[in-house]
Amino acid sequence: MAGRQNTAVAHDYVEDDVRTPLRVVEPSEGGPRNPPAAPPVSNARIAIAMFLVAESMFFAGLVGAYLVFRVGSVAWPPPGLPALPLGVTWFNTILLFASGGTMVAALRAIRRDDQASLRRFLWWSVALGGVFVGVQGLEWVRLVHHGLTLSSGPYGGTFYTLIGTHAAHVAGAMLWILFVLGAAARGRYTRQQHDGVEVCVVYWLYVCALWGLLFGLVYH
Amino acid sequence: MSEAAAAHGHEHEHHEGGFVSTYLFSMDHKMIGKQFLLLSLFMMIIGGVLALMVRWQLAYPEEPVPGMAWVPEPYLYEGIIPPETYNMLFTMHATIMIFFVVIPILVGAFGNFLIPLMIGTRDMAFPVLNMLSFWIAALAGVIMVSSFFVEGGASAGGWTAYAPLSAAEVYTGVGLGQDLWIISLVVLGISSMMGSINYITTIINMRAPGMTMFRMPLVIWSLFITAILLLLALPELTAAMAMLLFDRRFGTSFFLPETGGEPILWQHLFWFFGHPEVYILILPGMGVASEILAVFSRKPIFGYRAMAMAMIAIAFLGWVVWGHHMFQSGMNPTMGMAFMTTTMVIAVPSAIKTFNWLGTLWGGSITFQTPMLHALAFVSMFVIGGLSGIFMAATPVDIFIHDTYFIVGHIHYVVFGGSVFAIFGAVSYWFPKMYGRMMNETLGKIHFFGTLIFFNITFFPMHIIGVGGHMRRIYNPLQYEFLEPLQHWNEIMTIGAIGLGLFQIVFAVNFFYSMFAGEKAPQNPWNANTLEWEAPTPPPHGNFVEIPTVYRGPYEYSVPGEKEDWLPQAQPGAGVAAAH
């Protein structure tokens, strides 16, 4: 680096081999004393947190539109359209929350390196999620028979869009669990290294919590 | 950062891939950045041609566009632009320039290229995600361009896609084209989310030893904040787009009044995304200008922390000003008052930044090389665009100039005068590191002065005709008697636009000529401090031979008592002793 000169004209290039390797910085030359340890929060955790932030903004848009219509209408549900089924949906809600519990159990299992329990609890979660989506599908068929469709005004449109988008997220999260199950079967996860399970659990819990919010908002 | 990362880098050095893995499905952040740059420059040509056709129609209404007689009906009739096509031209010009040129160049190309190099790491946190982000953006581009060729043509409801214009085919005659427009932007939103998650994670977690947040170059700060805005704003637009698509195809009634929908809801949803979007377009440009001004003034940036804080303030305030796009929508005057106030307040951080740029220039040893000229143009044009923005923030003025050419002038001073000059500055400043060769300085200056002069000829008169009542988005100004005295301005602006377009050929020639035959670039041609110049030129896979350690902030120029007038971030010691 001997060629550096105090010159304002940057075109007076330093006649240096452009591929000159960097000099190695000796720790004795000053600068920070302690080399930084591993970052306190792993890349995977930051990424899933950011992803959930983005998801929340997506649902904020849909929920915002829903509230505009609900708050602005005289009667909700509008005359002639069916109310939403509460009893079955309560049952379904409990199922989904139970699947959140089995996901947490799966995470605890891998934390003590219990591979068999990890797989078992992941399967339980997929099954519970599947029942949730299935029951919701059957309810939709009933609602359509009662005359509630996408084109029954804002009441029908917001209901199917909002709840359908959530159902699509549950289905996507189920695919994700199946992917994690495949990796678990190949022994990818250990007690020390199981970021893959952790982010999937976090996402599933997010989808469950989101359901709690939507259930309270849309069905009541 | 550590051994794992170092091993990663070595792995790359030993396994150079073939053509496909190097140039197509590369996971190297630098190659992905260059892919974004080339894709967007190509899209810029399309967007530019559309703009020239709009300008032709305004200056010489219903006369054949020269050289366009080959375009088949129903797009053009022997070169004459019909009203339906005119609507399509301005809609697609804005869409392409905003979503496929300015964001992908500033955020996609320079975000990718600069973040790992300037914070001192070997690659992004998630290289595969990064590669996918580019190819998904490319897919979105293909969908958008393909919409020109379907029955009914491309979207013609304006880039803001106001419902019900965009929500029902009957108003514009555009069918599948509008659907493809929506799908393309949803796909682009996915790409953008992947990119922003990557940028945020990389900046938070992978900075070189000693690179604290407040030792980061301002361009990295600006990209960090832009990534956060993109992460928050785009998903909300995606939700709105989904509702619009459902209205068009599945019979819902979110935005269609005849079945109980709310067209104004679309405006709220769109501008809640749209105003942060404006800052997404300008913040990276502000970062680029800050880098260039400090280097070519040989002075520390004036008020480094204030600069970073001002950007953070803009990022917060940007969420509470969207209503100023809707003063005319019949909103409650109290709401209008609130939005007017927040909009005036957001001018303060922008003014802080402008003041600090001037403070940086004051008393500096300025050299007028191409990057610096573009950065100076950025500051001056941004000031004009910013000041015309204050006019529109005031409700009484806005009611008069709303939907006139005044606002078209304003947006072009901010997005062309601001962002596009920043793009040219960034390309000429980092070109040596990207391609290992210098751009031609003479051609660069010809391009700069041509662009600056013709830019002002094209866009300044818009303020005049706007105040004169010239509406935006009208097909033929000669249909209105009161606009006839202003028609000569339309002709002047069109001649300016043609000149502006011709001078971009100089840039294209310079870009591609220099890429293959330019003078070989040294490692640090501008004597700059930041870490990208510590990497070999052009940087190999893994960027650095040895991960640098950072000892100081990025703008230590002309430090008293130092032998040289720059003090690289990675140079240990006080400088004098350590310079062997």
Side-chain angles (χ1 to χ4, degrees), chain B residues 156-158 161-169 171-172 178 248:
Chain B
Y162 270 17
L165 264 187
S166 56
E169 193 169 332
Y171 298 110
T172 54
Q178 183 71 44
R248 293 178 58 80

Side-chain angles (χ1 to χ4, degrees), chain B residues 88-172:
Chain B
M88 186 173 98
L89 291 173
F90 69 70
T91 301
M92 294 303 282
H93 162 69
T95 306
I96 287 177
M97 287 303 197
I98 288 169
F99 291 103
F100 292 95
V101 176
V102 175
I103 304 184
I105 294 189
L106 283 175
V107 183
F110 286 102
N112 260 309
F113 188 80
L114 295 178
I115 288 174
L117 278 168
M118 291 183 96
I119 65 172
T121 183
R122 296 196 186 276
D123 208 321
M124 288 285 179
F126 306 105
V128 178
L129 201 64
N130 207 14
M131 175 191 75
L132 286 176
S133 149
F134 170 74
W135 283 105
I136 290 174
L139 175 70
V142 169
I143 297 173
M144 187 58 83
V145 172
S146 70
S147 74
F148 280 110
F149 304 105
V150 297
E151 177 94 39
S155 169
W159 83 278
T160 50
Y162 270 17
L165 264 187
S166 56
E169 193 169 332
V170 55
Y171 298 110
T172 54

Side-chain angles (χ1 to χ4, degrees), chain B residues 372-423:
Chain B
M372 181 62 162
L373 292 170
H374 284 293
L376 292 171
F378 169 90
V379 174
S380 15
M381 297 303 110
F382 175 73
V383 166
I384 297 178
L387 288 178
S388 63
I390 309 230
F391 284 63
M392 288 177 299
T395 34
V397 184
D398 184 71
I399 285 167
F400 179 64
I401 56 180
H402 185 88
D403 259 349
T404 67
Y405 256 82
F406 193 89
I407 189 157
V408 182
H410 163 76
I411 178 100
H412 284 93
Y413 266 87
V414 179
V415 176
F416 195 124
S419 310
V420 176
F421 273 110
I423 286 172

Side-chain angles (χ1 to χ4, degrees), chain A residues 2 4-8 10-11 13 18-23 25 29-32 36 39 41-44 46-47 50-51 53-54 57-58 61-62 65 68-69 150-151 153-154 157-158 161, chain B residues 125-126 193 197 201 204-205 209 231-232 235 239 243 246 250-254 259-260 262 265 272 367 369 438 519 521-523 525-526 534 546 549 551 563-566 568 570-573:
Chain A
R4 281 195 180 125
Q5 286 155 17
N6 187 348
T7 165
H11 265 299
Y13 300 132
V18 295
R19 293 262 178 185
T20 307
L22 274 183
R23 69 195 172 287
V25 176
E29 285 187 67
V41 184
S42 71
N43 286 354
I46 294 183
M50 292 301 134
F51 180 57
V53 167
M57 287 306 286
F58 175 74
L62 295 178
V68 164
F69 289 114
L150 263 177
S151 36
T158 51
T161 307
Chain B
F126 306 105
M193 187 179 69
I197 289 178
T201 310
I204 290 179
N205 257 5
L231 185 79
L232 295 171
M243 289 185 254
F246 282 14
F250 306 120
T252 57
S253 46
F254 289 106
T259 43
E262 295 270 7
L265 174 64
F272 186 73
T367 48
Q369 281 151 300
M438 305 299 294
E519 195 187 336
Q523 187 170 323
W526 318 115
E534 302 286 338
E546 189 90 17
T549 301
Y551 296 89
K563 208 159 59 177
E564 292 114 5
D565 70 350
W566 83 104
Q571 183 171 308

Side-chain angles (χ1 to χ4, degrees), chain B residues 106-427:
Chain B
L106 283 175
V107 183
F110 286 102
N112 260 309
F113 188 80
L114 295 178
I115 288 174
L117 278 168
M118 291 183 96
I119 65 172
T121 183
R122 296 196 186 276
D123 208 321
M124 288 285 179
F126 306 105
V128 178
L129 201 64
N130 207 14
M131 175 191 75
L132 286 176
S133 149
F134 170 74
W135 283 105
I136 290 174
L139 175 70
V142 169
I143 297 173
M144 187 58 83
V145 172
S146 70
S147 74
F148 280 110
F149 304 105
V150 297
E151 177 94 39
S155 169
W159 83 278
T160 50
Y162 270 17
L165 264 187
S166 56
E169 193 169 332
V170 55
Y171 298 110
T172 54
V174 178
L176 188 55
Q178 183 71 44
D179 298 330
L180 289 174
W181 187 89
I182 295 169
I183 293 166
S184 167
L185 292 186
V186 169
V187 171
L188 191 69
I190 295 169
S191 154
S192 143
M193 187 179 69
M194 291 173 158
S196 28
I197 289 178
N198 222 341
Y199 291 6
I200 294 170
T201 310
T202 307
I203 292 175
I204 290 179
N205 257 5
M206 297 174 69
R207 302 188 308 276
M211 179 64 88
T212 59
M213 289 302 271
F214 281 99
R215 279 180 182 175
M216 290 199 311
L218 285 171
V219 70
I220 300 301
W221 263 109
S222 73
L223 288 164
F224 182 54
I225 292 165
T226 304
I228 294 172
L229 289 180
L230 275 169
L231 185 79
L232 295 171
L234 260 279
E236 194 270 343
L237 178 73
T238 305
M241 291 284 178
M243 289 185 254
L244 186 60
L245 190 64
F246 282 14
D247 269 10
R248 293 178 58 80
R249 289 291 152 193
F250 306 120
T252 57
S253 46
F254 289 106
F255 309 121
L256 287 167
E258 62 266 31
T259 43
E262 295 270 7
I264 300 286
L265 174 64
W266 169 264
Q267 298 188 19
H268 279 290
L269 290 172
F270 183 84
W271 286 117
F272 186 73
F273 144 81
H275 207 81
E277 164 73 11
V278 172
Y279 294 102
I280 289 165
L281 297 172
I282 197 70
L283 278 173
M286 292 174 158
V288 167
S290 305
E291 296 303 310
I292 296 175
L293 289 175
V295 171
F296 290 87
S297 307
R298 313 308 297 165
K299 273 188 62 190
I301 197 87
F302 188 91
Y304 170 85
R305 262 174 201 265
M307 291 295 248
M309 291 301 179
M311 286 195 278
I312 294 170
I314 288 174
F316 276 104
L317 289 170
W319 294 100
V320 290
V321 296
W322 82 91
H324 67 216
H325 296 270
M326 300 166 56
F327 287 148
Q328 291 283 52
S329 67
M331 68 162 66
N332 185 328
T334 318
M335 287 284 283
M337 198 65 168
F339 280 121
M340 174 172 134
T341 313
T342 52
T343 306
M344 299 256 174
V345 169
I346 205 171
V348 173
S350 306
I352 290 174
K353 296 195 74 74
T354 309
F355 180 84
N356 287 359
W357 287 322
L358 299 182
T360 305
L361 292 168
W362 186 265
S365 323
I366 299 174
T367 48
F368 293 99
Q369 281 151 300
T370 312
M372 181 62 162
L373 292 170
H374 284 293
L376 292 171
F378 169 90
V379 174
S380 15
M381 297 303 110
F382 175 73
V383 166
I384 297 178
L387 288 178
S388 63
I390 309 230
F391 284 63
M392 288 177 299
T395 34
V397 184
D398 184 71
I399 285 167
F400 179 64
I401 56 180
H402 185 88
D403 259 349
T404 67
Y405 256 82
F406 193 89
I407 189 157
V408 182
H410 163 76
I411 178 100
H412 284 93
Y413 266 87
V414 179
V415 176
F416 195 124
S419 310
V420 176
F421 273 110
I423 286 172
F424 289 137
V427 169

